Amino acid sequence: MRGRPVRFGRLLVVTLLAAVLQATPAGAAVQGPPDGVVTWGASADRIGEAVADRGYRMVVRTSVAGRDPRIRLSNAFGDRPVTFDSVYAGIRKEGAELVRGSNRRLTFDGSTSVTVPPGATVYSDPLPRKLPAGTDLVVSVHTPDAAGPLTGHWMAMQTSYATQGDHTAEEGGTHWTETTGSWFYLDAVSVRADAGAVVALGDSITDGWQSTTDANRRWPDYLARRLQTSRNTVKGVANEGISGNKVLADGAGQSALNRLERDVLTLPGVRTVFLFEGVNDIKAHTGVTVQDLIDGYREILDRAHAAGKCVVGATVGPFKGWSEWDPAAEAVRQEVNAFIRNSGEFDAVTDFDRILRSPYDQERMLPALDGGDHIHPNDKGMQAMADAVDLPSLDCRDR
């Protein structure tokens, strides 16, 4: 793992910023992580308007095995408090149906209901049970009087379920007749485990677009399966990708810079940030320069290092054939990738560009790995990306 020269001035600014954030009133801040390690995560965004007396039954796949799971509910983008009067967690049998006897009520500071202030998150109490890796955990929530902006994750690449009324305690799927491709309010699950976690901070490629829905074939899913059979002490994987996301500017979700604290640094047990962003900044043609992106990467590096995390940088993949590609954007991509590969500022580097590009036209994705739009890999490409990650580089206990 490569070291990196410390820029004292930048690090001092970041340390002072962290102190200011820690002094923010609790009602407006992201709740700090409990003991344990994140086994599933999804970045939050505003995804429409909330509806009263609504139930959501959400299917998520665990990465690291553990015990005493806790969930995190988010009202990060709400403009008023949201109350959850019934929250359950069970194991999926098929569809919206749960394994008999697996559905158990979650509590919050001992209460069966919880009200989350606008802009805040809250963790449940630990649920006494073991949770294996690769489990389809099902979290069911009911919001009796929700209104205003709804917080969730739009592009889940996973079928979940919705209903009117409170059917959270039911293990059958009879009332859960509506299907949805999004997750609502739920943004993390953690367990107690003797392991660490890596967070994949990215855009739609990390989010899994062009991978097979309901098959868990996003590249972080393949990475999680590799880690489970390895000797690494990093086992948890949180996928914090947002389709269309940028490093520098808000738009499709808050920028990587603006969501770093909530989506990465406050997740429990995180040792490593895997940074794979930049193509949306480049292809948008908004005047973003190579130096702008380098400065953004450096801020993420500084803030992650100040929090005691390692950062693995991934090169930006080829996208010739996508409608926004042109030689000017390609020139920026090449220079940005040169920085990622050669600067020595990242703790390690994964060269996704080298893995994905065609040997016959290095500005274009290899057709066999192309999902069809020339920027998003297919299932085979997603697996190739995960296979390219050097697993020991994710274990950052020596920082």
Side-chain angles (χ1 to χ4, degrees), residues 57-60 88-93 95-98 103 136-140:
R57 174 159 282 184
M58 294 162 288
V59 180
V60 303
Y88 278 76
I91 307 301
R92 185 166 73 147
K93 181 178 179 181
E97 183 182 359
L98 308 182
N103 202 29
D136 279 346
L137 180 70
V138 179
V139 177
S140 304

Side-chain angles (χ1 to χ4, degrees), residues 83-87 105-116 142 144:
T83 295
F84 302 90
D85 62 352
S86 186
V87 183
R105 184 186 287 275
L106 291 166
T107 59
F108 301 81
D109 287 334
S111 174
T112 58
S113 67
V114 64
T115 297
V116 186
H142 178 253

Side-chain angles (χ1 to χ4, degrees), residues 238-302:
N239 185 336
E240 301 294 331
I242 297 182
S243 181
N245 200 230
K246 298 176 181 176
V247 174
L248 303 173
D250 293 347
Q254 292 179 318
S255 69
L257 289 170
N258 287 337
R259 64 191 182 94
L260 183 67
E261 187 74 15
R262 180 186 65 247
D263 287 353
V264 180
L265 301 182
T266 58
L267 294 177
V270 174
R271 292 184 191 160
T272 305
V273 183
F274 194 104
L275 177 59
F276 177 46
E277 288 226 42
V279 69
N280 289 313
D281 301 77
I282 293 169
K283 69 183 181 60
H285 298 289
T286 56
V288 169
T289 67
V290 173
Q291 191 59 51
D292 291 335
L293 263 176
I294 289 173
D295 289 345
Y297 292 147
R298 282 176 169 160
E299 183 178 337
I300 291 171
L301 281 159
D302 283 342

Side-chain angles (χ1 to χ4, degrees), residues 294-331:
I294 289 173
D295 289 345
Y297 292 147
R298 282 176 169 160
E299 183 178 337
I300 291 171
L301 281 159
D302 283 342
R303 289 168 60 188
H305 285 156
K309 320 298 182 187
C310 288
V311 184
V312 176
T315 52
V316 178
F319 66 102
K320 187 177 183 179
W322 177 264
S323 61
E324 294 167 293
W325 183 93
D326 64 18
E330 179 64 22

Side-chain angles (χ1 to χ4, degrees), residues 125-385:
D125 300 327
L127 181 64
R129 74 183 310 164
K130 292 182 179 179
L131 193 59
T135 296
D136 279 346
L137 180 70
V138 179
V139 177
S140 304
V141 304
H142 178 253
T143 55
D145 54 3
L150 191 158
T151 297
H153 186 87
W154 172 68
M155 195 179 76
M157 305 301 295
Q158 171 68 55
T159 300
S160 290
Y161 304 89
T163 188
Q164 283 299 111
D166 182 7
H167 301 282
T168 53
E170 299 171 8
E171 293 183 326
T174 302
H175 290 101
W176 298 92
T177 56
E178 300 175 46
T179 59
T180 176
S182 301
W183 292 304
F184 303 91
Y185 300 113
L186 177 70
D187 77 342
V189 179
S190 65
V191 293
R192 288 177 177 151
D194 185 17
V198 56
V199 176
L201 180 60
D203 49 41
S204 56
I205 301 176
T206 297
D207 215 7
W209 183 241
Q210 297 290 7
S211 68
T212 301
T213 299
D214 294 332
N216 298 296
R217 294 179 182 172
R218 314 162 192 87
W219 74 260
D221 297 322
Y222 284 109
L223 178 63
R225 289 190 281 273
R226 283 190 68 204
L227 286 168
Q228 293 316 308
T229 59
S230 76
R231 295 185 178 182
N232 273 52
T233 59
V234 168
K235 299 288 187 184
V237 178
N239 185 336
E240 301 294 331
I242 297 182
S243 181
N245 200 230
K246 298 176 181 176
V247 174
L248 303 173
D250 293 347
Q254 292 179 318
S255 69
L257 289 170
N258 287 337
R259 64 191 182 94
L260 183 67
E261 187 74 15
R262 180 186 65 247
D263 287 353
V264 180
L265 301 182
T266 58
L267 294 177
V270 174
R271 292 184 191 160
T272 305
V273 183
F274 194 104
L275 177 59
F276 177 46
E277 288 226 42
V279 69
N280 289 313
D281 301 77
I282 293 169
K283 69 183 181 60
H285 298 289
T286 56
V288 169
T289 67
V290 173
Q291 191 59 51
D292 291 335
L293 263 176
I294 289 173
D295 289 345
Y297 292 147
R298 282 176 169 160
E299 183 178 337
I300 291 171
L301 281 159
D302 283 342
R303 289 168 60 188
H305 285 156
K309 320 298 182 187
C310 288
V311 184
V312 176
T315 52
V316 178
F319 66 102
K320 187 177 183 179
W322 177 264
S323 61
E324 294 167 293
W325 183 93
D326 64 18
E330 179 64 22
V332 174
R333 186 181 77 92
Q334 293 290 351
E335 289 190 54
V336 166
N337 281 350
F339 168 78
I340 295 170
R341 288 187 185 103
N342 304 321
S343 68
E345 299 196 32
F346 292 92
D347 298 287
V349 172
T350 297
D351 200 341
F352 281 161
D353 173 47
R354 183 180 63 83
I355 295 300
L356 293 172
R357 69 194 182 199
S358 169
Y360 307 106
D361 183 351
Q362 297 192 1
E363 299 170 347
R364 188 181 295 272
M365 193 182 302
L366 186 69
L369 305 181
D370 192 341
D373 60 10
H374 312 301
I375 193 170
H376 298 97
N378 57 21
D379 291 352
K380 186 176 180 180
M382 294 284 182
Q383 184 169 11
M385 292 170 66

